[in-house]
Amino acid sequence: MERRPRGYVGINHETIGSDVLAVMHSLQALVGPDLPIPKHILTPVQMQRLHSIKPDGWYPIEWMLELMEALDKKLGRYALIKMGRTLFKQTHEARVLETAHQGRDIIYGFDDMYHHANRGEKIGGWRVVSFDDHGAVLEKTTPHHCSMEEGILAQALAAVGAPAMVAQTGCFREGADACLFSITPAVGAGRWM
């Protein structure tokens, strides 16, 4: 990773296997469950790694970042959004829905969700910049691809009945020192706060 967000050092940064496996599951959803993943999307080494991953194991964050970059270059932003939605369903949804019941819970619990699936020192995180009945702004200092994070946020909010539009307004990959996300609840999203 050439640029890093403010404060991210990534000492011994690892991610949980179910997050990495979300790549394979989202690709399978795109091509069909019974079809092989096209060879031009992931390299043989990446495919071999994916097949060796256990959902509850811990793996170097570089594996995940490399897969996100491959998806971005070969399939584009919407494949990463799909990956984020799949990742939330696979890794976080059941646990999060035990305690989260509205959009506010997702917004204020997003950093905990990140640290549940990522470990290490100085690995960045999420900070609530603002929150009210009109929306929220979150700051991200993680190395993950922003489109994937957009998918996670959108799916998490939908899961608690608070669908929202998630838009990125700043990105460390484009020169900002951190990423900013603006979240606007859908009209009539009664479970926002």
Side-chain angles (χ1 to χ4, degrees):
M1 181 172 52
E2 293 175 23
R3 285 191 46 79
R4 295 175 183 263
R6 178 186 67 245
Y8 180 84
V9 179
I11 300 168
N12 299 319
H13 188 171
E14 295 178 313
T15 192
I16 196 153
S18 55
D19 277 13
V20 184
L21 288 172
V23 175
M24 188 159 47
H25 293 285
S26 58
L27 284 172
Q28 287 296 169
L30 289 170
V31 299
D34 300 323
L35 298 173
I37 294 171
K39 293 182 178 166
H40 72 279
I41 296 175
L42 299 177
T43 68
V45 170
Q46 291 168 331
M47 287 301 295
Q48 184 178 9
R49 279 185 191 158
L50 279 173
H51 289 297
S52 72
I53 289 175
K54 307 227 178 307
D56 59 349
W58 291 92
Y59 301 91
I61 192 62
E62 289 78 14
W63 290 13
M64 180 76 157
L65 299 177
E66 182 182 290
L67 291 169
M68 285 188 279
E69 288 303 316
L71 286 184
D72 185 38
K73 287 178 182 161
K74 307 234 171 109
L75 298 175
R77 165 174 153 47
Y78 293 104
L80 286 168
I81 291 171
K82 171 77 174 162
M83 179 190 157
R85 288 181 173 275
T86 301
L87 187 152
F88 177 78
K89 289 177 186 177
Q90 280 183 208
T91 304
H92 302 287
E93 188 170 56
R95 185 181 56 78
V96 167
L97 291 180
E98 290 176 5
T99 57
H101 307 291
Q102 58 188 344
R104 179 185 181 90
D105 299 334
I106 297 297
I107 299 301
Y108 280 97
F110 211 70
D111 186 62
D112 288 338
M113 191 185 321
Y114 170 70
H115 287 281
H116 177 78
N118 290 270
R119 67 184 186 185
E121 296 176 51
K122 299 183 181 180
I123 61 170
W126 290 81
R127 181 177 71 86
V128 178
V129 175
S130 66
F131 181 90
D132 61 27
D133 58 346
H134 301 292
V137 174
L138 290 176
E139 179 187 71
K140 174 182 98 71
T141 56
T142 77
H144 294 78
H145 202 290
C146 301
S147 296
M148 190 267 308
E149 300 280 28
E150 181 181 330
I152 295 173
L153 264 168
Q155 188 64 40
L157 289 164
V160 295
M165 186 175 93
V166 179
Q168 187 177 10
T169 58
C171 183
F172 80 86
R173 285 179 173 82
E174 296 175 1
D177 63 339
C179 299
L180 287 176
F181 286 84
S182 174
I183 299 106
T184 307
V187 175
R191 301 196 73 183
W192 178 247
M193 44 187 317

